[in-house]
Amino acid sequence: MIDGKAITLLNVYVANVDDKQFYDRIQDLLEDSAGTPVVWAGDFNCLLDGDAVRHPPKQGAEPLMTSSLAVVMRNLGFRDTWRDMHPDGCKFTCLTHNTYSRLDRIPVGGLDIQKLVGVKHLGWFRSEHVPLLLTLQWGTDE
């Protein structure tokens, strides 16, 4: 509860395997939160924006998890907060095996866009991942 209003927070670390059912199970869990705002954050270990968020671009077929994540986000009305705040931005959150990508994200669902104040990268330090900071405006007059 924040200011007397329910909110669901979900943090994930998705294993680096192409398991389409993972996001199907997450969808089942999140359907129980219908009607409350949901902040879903973590290392998703798959891309949403295709080659635009990976350098160098990956060759070959799109993993099943990528399409599964996109379907679940669409089905549950989630938005990619980074893309909302930075429509033309190209920031990476992960560096592994000399490849930069945006695997870490904070999608939100059931939350009015006016509540989204900012999403920013906190910079590289002591990890292959960049921490993200989501800032929401939350008032008691709603």
Side-chain angles (χ1 to χ4, degrees):
M1 302 289 280
I2 297 177
D3 288 334
K5 293 175 180 48
I7 185 169
T8 299
L9 304 174
L10 175 64
N11 181 26
V12 296
Y13 171 76
V14 180
N16 195 7
V17 294
D18 197 15
D19 176 11
K20 177 197 173 303
Q21 274 68 41
F22 178 84
Y23 288 116
D24 295 340
R25 290 187 300 271
I26 294 290
Q27 179 171 315
D28 291 343
L29 288 171
L30 290 177
E31 283 175 342
D32 293 339
S33 299
T36 58
V38 178
V39 176
W40 180 14
D43 178 353
F44 286 70
N45 253 325
C46 70
L47 305 175
L48 273 180
D49 302 325
D51 293 341
V53 295
R54 184 182 180 106
H55 184 75
K58 185 175 184 177
Q59 304 298 316
E62 180 180 90
L64 296 173
M65 285 185 71
T66 297
S67 57
S68 179
L69 174 58
V71 167
V72 168
M73 286 183 63
R74 189 172 44 253
N75 287 348
L76 297 177
F78 276 82
R79 293 187 323 273
D80 181 347
T81 55
W82 172 260
R83 193 53 60 211
D84 281 354
M85 299 302 293
H86 309 279
D88 299 319
C90 186
K91 288 268 192 170
F92 301 110
T93 64
C94 182
L95 169 61
T96 55
H97 311 292
N98 294 322
T99 300
Y100 290 92
S101 53
R102 195 163 71 87
L103 302 178
D104 309 278
R105 57 187 77 252
I106 309 175
V108 296
L111 194 66
D112 189 352
I113 189 69
Q114 283 76 25
K115 292 191 181 317
L116 183 58
V117 175
V119 179
K120 69 179 184 176
H121 290 73
L122 298 181
W124 298 95
F125 60 94
R126 296 188 184 178
S127 176
E128 63 200 22
H129 293 270
V130 172
L132 299 172
L133 176 66
L134 173 69
T135 305
L136 299 173
Q137 177 182 344
W138 207 271
T140 57
D141 60 335
E142 303 166 48

